[in-house]
């Protein structure tokens, strides 16, 4: 999954030149870096996740962590946080500070508010409220929600899962690009 997340981000953001890879298993991180390097991606493994977080422009996580890996205190202005794993109330990839400092978006409101720890836990602690979730993919794709209001905004996107949402997003992107489906 992580390989495709990296490829997806680089497709929409060709300016991403350097990829830092952290994994609980250094061997798995090194294997991914080697596969990406074969395709010309400048990828390197790191062991200090906090240090890498402090220099990242885009952070993507895809884990089942029960304790937050990404700490808000390490996020720079303008960072985009893409949380793809952790789809139960007990799983969590980013801490309360990350949510509090960010413009928060989800793939689908109904799923985010019914079982996703990265949204439910900061709401329960009071770090954010339900109103701080500014929109979902439907809102973003239709233009009824504004993603980044300023270049210094930290954006936080929580994907709660569902392939149908991925297809809907792809369709919206292709329509904006003027591509027709046959």
């Amino acid at each position: 999954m992580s390989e495709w997340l990296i490829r997806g981000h680089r497709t929409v953001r060709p300016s991403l030149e350097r990829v830092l890879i952290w994994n609980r298993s250094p061997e798995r991180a090194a294997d991914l870096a080697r596969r990406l390097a074969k395709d010309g991606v400048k990828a390197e493994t790191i062991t200090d996740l906090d240090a890498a977080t402090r220099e990242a422009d885009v952070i993507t996580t895809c884990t089942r962590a029960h304790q937050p890996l990404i700490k808000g205190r390490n996020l720079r202005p303008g960072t985009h946080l893409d949380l793809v794993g952790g789809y139960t109330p007990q799983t969590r990839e980013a801490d309360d500070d990350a949510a509090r400092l960010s413009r928060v978006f989800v793939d689908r409101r109904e799923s985010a508010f019914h079982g996703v720890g990265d949204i439910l836990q900061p709401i329960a602690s009071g770090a954010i409220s339900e109103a701080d979730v500014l929109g979902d993919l439907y809102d973003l794709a239709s233009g009824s929600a504004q993603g980044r209001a300023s270049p210094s905004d930290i954006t936080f996107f929580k994907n709660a899962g569902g392939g149908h949402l991925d297809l809907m997003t792809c369709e919206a992107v292709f329509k904006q690009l003027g591509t027709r489906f046959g």
Side-chain angles (χ1 to χ4, degrees):
M1 173 69 104
S2 56
E3 179 174 350
W4 297 108
L5 291 167
I6 293 165
R7 292 181 188 285
H9 276 291
R10 291 190 75 241
T11 296
V12 239
R13 294 176 188 87
S15 62
L16 295 176
E17 297 175 0
R18 183 173 167 229
V19 176
L20 304 177
I21 302 168
W22 178 87
N23 191 304
R24 287 185 182 104
S25 162
E27 297 80 23
R28 290 176 67 185
D31 180 55
L32 176 58
R34 278 190 295 276
R35 288 195 320 266
L36 292 167
K38 287 180 184 176
D39 289 334
V41 177
K42 184 179 175 188
E44 59 190 86
T45 61
I46 51 103
T47 56
D48 188 340
L49 182 58
D50 286 342
T53 300
R54 287 190 288 274
E55 67 177 277
D57 295 319
V58 176
I59 299 168
T60 298
T61 60
C62 186
T63 73
R64 291 188 208 163
H66 286 254
Q67 297 298 317
L69 299 170
I70 305 301
K71 298 165 189 80
R73 70 175 178 262
N74 293 326
L75 299 175
R76 299 183 316 164
T79 299
H80 174 68
L81 185 55
D82 183 38
L83 306 173
V84 178
Y87 48 87
T88 70
Q90 298 78 30
T91 53
R92 185 103 187 256
E93 295 180 304
D95 69 5
D96 282 358
D97 284 339
R100 186 181 49 73
L101 294 169
S102 301
R103 292 179 58 80
V104 179
F105 300 91
V106 295
D107 60 346
R108 185 168 179 256
R109 285 181 181 277
E110 294 83 358
S111 56
F113 295 127
H114 297 289
V116 178
D118 279 303
I119 299 299
L120 295 178
Q121 289 183 38
I123 289 173
S125 74
I128 64 171
S129 71
E130 197 167 312
D132 290 318
V133 177
L134 302 174
D136 62 17
L137 282 178
Y138 298 100
D139 300 323
L140 290 166
S142 71
S144 64
Q146 179 183 0
R148 194 177 295 271
S150 154
S152 63
D153 284 343
I154 296 170
T155 50
F156 174 119
F157 178 77
K158 177 58 190 169
N159 183 3
H164 64 290
L165 296 170
D166 298 335
L167 291 172
M168 182 274 306
T169 304
C170 290
E171 182 178 13
V173 168
F174 279 118
K175 282 182 181 177
Q176 287 182 3
L177 294 172
T179 306
R180 293 190 179 259
F181 294 95

